[in-house]
Amino acid sequence: MIRLFKVKEKQRELAENSNGGSPVKKQTAGELRLHKDISELNLPKSCSITFPNGKDDLMNFEVTIRPDEGFYLGGTFLFSFQVSPVYPHEAPKVKCKTKIYHPNMDLEGNVCLNILREDWKPVLNINTIIYGLYHLFTEPNYEDPLNHDAAAILRDNPKLFESNVRRAMHGGYVGQTHFPRCI
């Protein structure tokens, strides 16, 4: 009986390979959904998407955001996205690769965005996440911080916060922390 299954499996492999190339890799449901999401992207002009590992690896990509208003005007911020094979039932893992002074992002690149955590639902998509990230630049939220110091300064002294953001974006220090230039 076991031998019969091996013969059938070998015949299937030969049939797949007979059309000239390597066997076609079957896409997971997550890859199919992600392909649909990416093909339907409607990004603002200030956002772009790239695939550093090539178009064959849709599950890992980068998004660049260049805010055109707010405290972060003129900056360039890079985010990495890692999408699970069970997407959309699990939110993508998003990290900010640009070191940034922001109440909703820590110095390790973790992002505090509700739709990436407790408010994630399978009806949400990549476009929604990118708009959510963009919104963090136009309206930073001091009520749900990862960087508590930045949040307190934004809440208590918005002018000082703006000065700190500018200094950080121009490659300076905020407190004891150095930020690379991103403007």
Side-chain angles (χ1 to χ4, degrees):
M1 186 63 103
I2 294 172
R3 190 172 286 252
L4 178 64
F5 286 120
K6 287 189 180 215
V7 169
K8 291 243 186 231
E9 191 176 304
K10 193 71 166 167
Q11 286 174 339
R12 188 170 39 250
E13 277 180 34
L14 287 171
E16 287 174 354
N17 290 338
S18 68
N19 51 3
S22 58
V24 178
K25 181 180 165 244
K26 189 171 181 175
Q27 288 187 310
T28 66
E31 288 172 316
L32 291 170
R33 167 64 190 273
L34 183 60
H35 188 274
K36 177 183 180 290
D37 283 3
I38 289 171
S39 69
E40 295 175 354
L41 277 178
N42 183 20
L43 298 178
K45 290 180 204 136
S46 56
C47 299
S48 62
I49 186 170
T50 57
F51 298 88
N53 302 331
K55 289 274 189 183
D56 290 338
D57 184 8
L58 287 183
M59 306 303 270
N60 297 288
F61 57 92
E62 295 177 341
V63 171
T64 302
I65 298 178
R66 294 175 186 85
D68 52 11
E69 61 180 285
F71 295 117
Y72 298 92
L73 173 71
T76 301
F77 306 96
L78 184 64
F79 292 86
S80 65
F81 281 62
Q82 288 185 307
V83 184
S84 162
V86 297
Y87 174 79
H89 300 288
E90 183 180 294
K93 305 286 183 247
V94 178
K95 287 268 208 188
C96 184
K97 294 177 79 172
T98 308
K99 192 173 181 181
I100 180 173
Y101 179 78
H102 194 291
N104 307 111
M105 296 174 214
D106 65 20
L107 299 177
E108 286 76 46
N110 297 307
V111 178
C112 184
L113 184 63
N114 62 331
I115 61 172
L116 291 174
R117 299 174 315 177
E118 72 275 0
D119 290 340
W120 176 256
K121 293 174 181 52
V123 297
L124 299 176
N125 59 29
I126 299 301
N127 209 60
T128 309
I129 296 169
I130 295 171
Y131 271 92
L133 292 171
Y134 181 80
H135 186 72
L136 287 180
F137 288 105
T138 58
E139 298 286 331
N141 179 8
Y142 60 78
E143 293 177 358
D144 189 19
L146 278 180
N147 182 334
H148 294 277
D149 294 335
I153 292 171
L154 174 60
R155 182 189 63 233
D156 300 337
N157 190 343
K159 290 283 186 207
L160 177 59
F161 178 79
E162 183 174 14
S163 171
N164 286 348
V165 168
R166 288 280 139 208
R167 189 176 317 115
M169 287 174 48
H170 281 89
Y173 282 85
V174 176
Q176 299 295 313
T177 305
H178 180 262
F179 293 86
R181 185 178 176 87
C182 65
I183 198 162

